[in-house]
Amino acid sequence: VYESPEQAPTLFSDRMSMYTSEQRIHELFSASRCAMNDASQATYFYVPVYPTLVAHSSSTGVDLHGAFMSMARMHEHLLRTSPYYTRNNGTDHIFTVAHDIGSCIVPPYMAVASIFLQHFSEKRNESVLAYLNLYGRHPDLIRRASAAPCFNTSKDIIIPPFLGDRNTLAVDLSLSPPLHKPVDLFFRGTTHAHPVYSNGVRQHLSNVFNEYDGNFNVLVSFDVHAHQNLYWNELRESKFCISPPGWVSWSPRTYQAIAANCVPIIIQEDATLPFQDTLNWTSFAILANFTNYKEIILDPFSHIGGTSALLEMQQNLRSVWRNF
């Protein structure tokens, strides 16, 4: 584990932010029994970087260009000071990038070689380019996203976002037994008029549930001013929780639902989920695409096979949630 260079920014003051993954993973690697004192004996090298913090530290908004340049400076720093970085062209070096668009905020000469731990998992960059062209207007980042995927399945690793301390997230499931959860279907979040946003999913949710008069108890709200404690209570009191994309496919709502023992309905395409090779996601989540989700959200019970299947999925959630 490398030492942080002197120019490393001040860490997130809000240690509960989901973007603190960069900081938290640095701490975990530093404290790990696998951390070597002798670099010549190391198999992999972890480089502490905080590009997401840089992006969110600007007083004028999210500074993606600043994050991009901070990674470029780290590359130059490693070239000057580390023989291990140049030895294998950085292929055995690991970075964490917690930003929504993952290694799209990393210069391409770094992104193609090193290993990135990130939340972004799309194999194509269409959503990133749409976002950058609409809001970012950063030529460096647009060129980066146009040149190569922001997630390389052969080397990069998808990680869940940081949600909070274990004590904060500890769920007393006895407070709301599985079939006594009063809300059948839940979503609270924002939407956007731009057609690229969410691939139209959130806009569709707004249209369908604006004046819903169906057979289920549905709580779908686009009022995002609810207190965080209220939001967690709503999750815990719900049987199915919708996790649609925003500007990109991954969403913290998937992992919030898992922690609250609410079966997530994950709506995405062409993306990878964390621990996909070791966890059977279909045993505790509904995986939907941009076509069939429209039918699923109207009757998730029928989709999984009824209440007995729901009970089984909720039991599976109890078994897997600590992985996240």
mmCIF file of all heavy atoms in Angstrom, residues 302-319:
data_model
loop_
_atom_site.group_PDB
_atom_site.id
_atom_site.type_symbol
_atom_site.label_atom_id
_atom_site.label_comp_id
_atom_site.label_asym_id
_atom_site.label_seq_id
_atom_site.Cartn_x
_atom_site.Cartn_y
_atom_site.Cartn_z
ATOM 1 N N SER A 302 -46.557 -12.120 -9.174
ATOM 2 C CA SER A 302 -46.749 -13.133 -10.212
ATOM 3 C C SER A 302 -45.439 -13.455 -10.915
ATOM 4 O O SER A 302 -45.191 -14.606 -11.291
ATOM 5 C CB SER A 302 -47.780 -12.651 -11.240
ATOM 6 O OG SER A 302 -49.054 -12.521 -10.647
ATOM 7 N N HIS A 303 -44.591 -12.456 -11.077
ATOM 8 C CA HIS A 303 -43.319 -12.676 -11.774
ATOM 9 C C HIS A 303 -42.449 -13.689 -11.046
ATOM 10 O O HIS A 303 -41.788 -14.524 -11.680
ATOM 11 C CB HIS A 303 -42.566 -11.359 -11.929
ATOM 12 C CG HIS A 303 -41.243 -11.504 -12.611
ATOM 13 N ND1 HIS A 303 -41.116 -11.666 -13.979
ATOM 14 C CD2 HIS A 303 -39.970 -11.546 -12.110
ATOM 15 C CE1 HIS A 303 -39.837 -11.790 -14.289
ATOM 16 N NE2 HIS A 303 -39.126 -11.721 -13.181
ATOM 17 N N ILE A 304 -42.424 -13.638 -9.711
ATOM 18 C CA ILE A 304 -41.549 -14.552 -8.965
ATOM 19 C C ILE A 304 -42.250 -15.845 -8.570
ATOM 20 O O ILE A 304 -41.589 -16.799 -8.132
ATOM 21 C CB ILE A 304 -40.975 -13.887 -7.700
ATOM 22 C CG1 ILE A 304 -42.098 -13.522 -6.711
ATOM 23 C CG2 ILE A 304 -40.148 -12.660 -8.079
ATOM 24 C CD1 ILE A 304 -41.598 -13.034 -5.374
ATOM 25 N N GLY A 305 -43.596 -15.883 -8.685
ATOM 26 C CA GLY A 305 -44.300 -17.122 -8.353
ATOM 27 C C GLY A 305 -45.089 -17.083 -7.072
ATOM 28 O O GLY A 305 -45.389 -18.142 -6.490
ATOM 29 N N GLY A 306 -45.421 -15.890 -6.566
ATOM 30 C CA GLY A 306 -46.298 -15.788 -5.425
ATOM 31 C C GLY A 306 -45.590 -15.522 -4.107
ATOM 32 O O GLY A 306 -44.376 -15.328 -4.044
ATOM 33 N N THR A 307 -46.380 -15.547 -3.024
ATOM 34 C CA THR A 307 -45.869 -15.163 -1.717
ATOM 35 C C THR A 307 -44.865 -16.158 -1.153
ATOM 36 O O THR A 307 -43.962 -15.770 -0.404
ATOM 37 C CB THR A 307 -47.028 -14.996 -0.721
ATOM 38 O OG1 THR A 307 -47.811 -16.199 -0.690
ATOM 39 C CG2 THR A 307 -47.921 -13.829 -1.123
ATOM 40 N N SER A 308 -44.997 -17.430 -1.479
ATOM 41 C CA SER A 308 -44.018 -18.403 -0.982
ATOM 42 C C SER A 308 -42.638 -18.124 -1.567
ATOM 43 O O SER A 308 -41.616 -18.237 -0.870
ATOM 44 C CB SER A 308 -44.461 -19.829 -1.312
ATOM 45 O OG SER A 308 -44.570 -20.014 -2.718
ATOM 46 N N ALA A 309 -42.610 -17.728 -2.832
ATOM 47 C CA ALA A 309 -41.332 -17.368 -3.462
ATOM 48 C C ALA A 309 -40.773 -16.095 -2.843
ATOM 49 O O ALA A 309 -39.553 -15.955 -2.668
ATOM 50 C CB ALA A 309 -41.517 -17.199 -4.966
ATOM 51 N N LEU A 310 -41.650 -15.150 -2.478
ATOM 52 C CA LEU A 310 -41.201 -13.924 -1.821
ATOM 53 C C LEU A 310 -40.546 -14.239 -0.484
ATOM 54 O O LEU A 310 -39.482 -13.695 -0.154
ATOM 55 C CB LEU A 310 -42.383 -12.969 -1.623
ATOM 56 C CG LEU A 310 -42.097 -11.709 -0.799
ATOM 57 C CD1 LEU A 310 -41.036 -10.845 -1.474
ATOM 58 C CD2 LEU A 310 -43.381 -10.905 -0.577
ATOM 59 N N LEU A 311 -41.177 -15.107 0.305
ATOM 60 C CA LEU A 311 -40.603 -15.494 1.589
ATOM 61 C C LEU A 311 -39.211 -16.103 1.412
ATOM 62 O O LEU A 311 -38.294 -15.825 2.187
ATOM 63 C CB LEU A 311 -41.525 -16.484 2.299
ATOM 64 C CG LEU A 311 -42.765 -15.896 2.971
ATOM 65 C CD1 LEU A 311 -43.713 -17.010 3.405
ATOM 66 C CD2 LEU A 311 -42.375 -15.035 4.161
ATOM 67 N N GLU A 312 -39.054 -16.928 0.399
ATOM 68 C CA GLU A 312 -37.753 -17.549 0.144
ATOM 69 C C GLU A 312 -36.721 -16.504 -0.240
ATOM 70 O O GLU A 312 -35.569 -16.550 0.225
ATOM 71 C CB GLU A 312 -37.890 -18.599 -0.957
ATOM 72 C CG GLU A 312 -36.595 -19.346 -1.250
ATOM 73 C CD GLU A 312 -36.761 -20.428 -2.290
ATOM 74 O OE1 GLU A 312 -37.905 -20.735 -2.687
ATOM 75 O OE2 GLU A 312 -35.723 -20.978 -2.732
ATOM 76 N N MET A 313 -37.107 -15.549 -1.071
ATOM 77 C CA MET A 313 -36.173 -14.500 -1.471
ATOM 78 C C MET A 313 -35.795 -13.627 -0.284
ATOM 79 O O MET A 313 -34.633 -13.219 -0.139
ATOM 80 C CB MET A 313 -36.775 -13.652 -2.601
ATOM 81 C CG MET A 313 -36.997 -14.429 -3.890
ATOM 82 S SD MET A 313 -37.672 -13.419 -5.236
ATOM 83 C CE MET A 313 -36.175 -12.600 -5.806
ATOM 84 N N GLN A 314 -36.746 -13.344 0.591
ATOM 85 C CA GLN A 314 -36.439 -12.539 1.774
ATOM 86 C C GLN A 314 -35.489 -13.292 2.710
ATOM 87 O O GLN A 314 -34.595 -12.691 3.310
ATOM 88 C CB GLN A 314 -37.735 -12.169 2.496
ATOM 89 C CG GLN A 314 -38.567 -11.149 1.740
ATOM 90 C CD GLN A 314 -39.927 -10.932 2.358
ATOM 91 O OE1 GLN A 314 -40.536 -11.857 2.902
ATOM 92 N NE2 GLN A 314 -40.430 -9.715 2.269
ATOM 93 N N GLN A 315 -35.675 -14.599 2.816
ATOM 94 C CA GLN A 315 -34.753 -15.387 3.625
ATOM 95 C C GLN A 315 -33.357 -15.370 3.017
ATOM 96 O O GLN A 315 -32.352 -15.269 3.727
ATOM 97 C CB GLN A 315 -35.251 -16.830 3.739
ATOM 98 C CG GLN A 315 -34.416 -17.703 4.662
ATOM 99 C CD GLN A 315 -34.373 -17.168 6.082
ATOM 100 O OE1 GLN A 315 -35.407 -16.820 6.662
ATOM 101 N NE2 GLN A 315 -33.185 -17.072 6.654
ATOM 102 N N ASN A 316 -33.278 -15.429 1.706
ATOM 103 C CA ASN A 316 -31.978 -15.363 1.029
ATOM 104 C C ASN A 316 -31.317 -14.001 1.239
ATOM 105 O O ASN A 316 -30.091 -13.912 1.378
ATOM 106 C CB ASN A 316 -32.146 -15.650 -0.463
ATOM 107 C CG ASN A 316 -32.531 -17.088 -0.737
ATOM 108 O OD1 ASN A 316 -32.271 -17.982 0.078
ATOM 109 N ND2 ASN A 316 -33.170 -17.334 -1.866
ATOM 110 N N LEU A 317 -32.142 -12.939 1.277
ATOM 111 C CA LEU A 317 -31.591 -11.614 1.550
ATOM 112 C C LEU A 317 -30.943 -11.568 2.926
ATOM 113 O O LEU A 317 -29.889 -10.960 3.109
ATOM 114 C CB LEU A 317 -32.696 -10.551 1.470
ATOM 115 C CG LEU A 317 -33.111 -10.086 0.079
ATOM 116 C CD1 LEU A 317 -34.368 -9.223 0.159
ATOM 117 C CD2 LEU A 317 -32.001 -9.319 -0.609
ATOM 118 N N ARG A 318 -31.562 -12.214 3.916
ATOM 119 C CA ARG A 318 -30.982 -12.248 5.259
ATOM 120 C C ARG A 318 -29.604 -12.906 5.255
ATOM 121 O O ARG A 318 -28.729 -12.574 6.057
ATOM 122 C CB ARG A 318 -31.894 -13.015 6.206
ATOM 123 C CG ARG A 318 -33.257 -12.398 6.426
ATOM 124 C CD ARG A 318 -34.055 -13.243 7.395
ATOM 125 N NE ARG A 318 -35.440 -12.821 7.467
ATOM 126 C CZ ARG A 318 -36.140 -12.755 8.586
ATOM 127 N NH1 ARG A 318 -35.575 -13.073 9.731
ATOM 128 N NH2 ARG A 318 -37.401 -12.375 8.582
ATOM 129 N N SER A 319 -29.438 -13.860 4.324
ATOM 130 C CA SER A 319 -28.173 -14.611 4.275
ATOM 131 C C SER A 319 -27.062 -13.843 3.566
ATOM 132 O O SER A 319 -25.888 -14.013 3.873
ATOM 133 C CB SER A 319 -28.398 -15.963 3.576
ATOM 134 O OG SER A 319 -29.356 -16.742 4.250
#
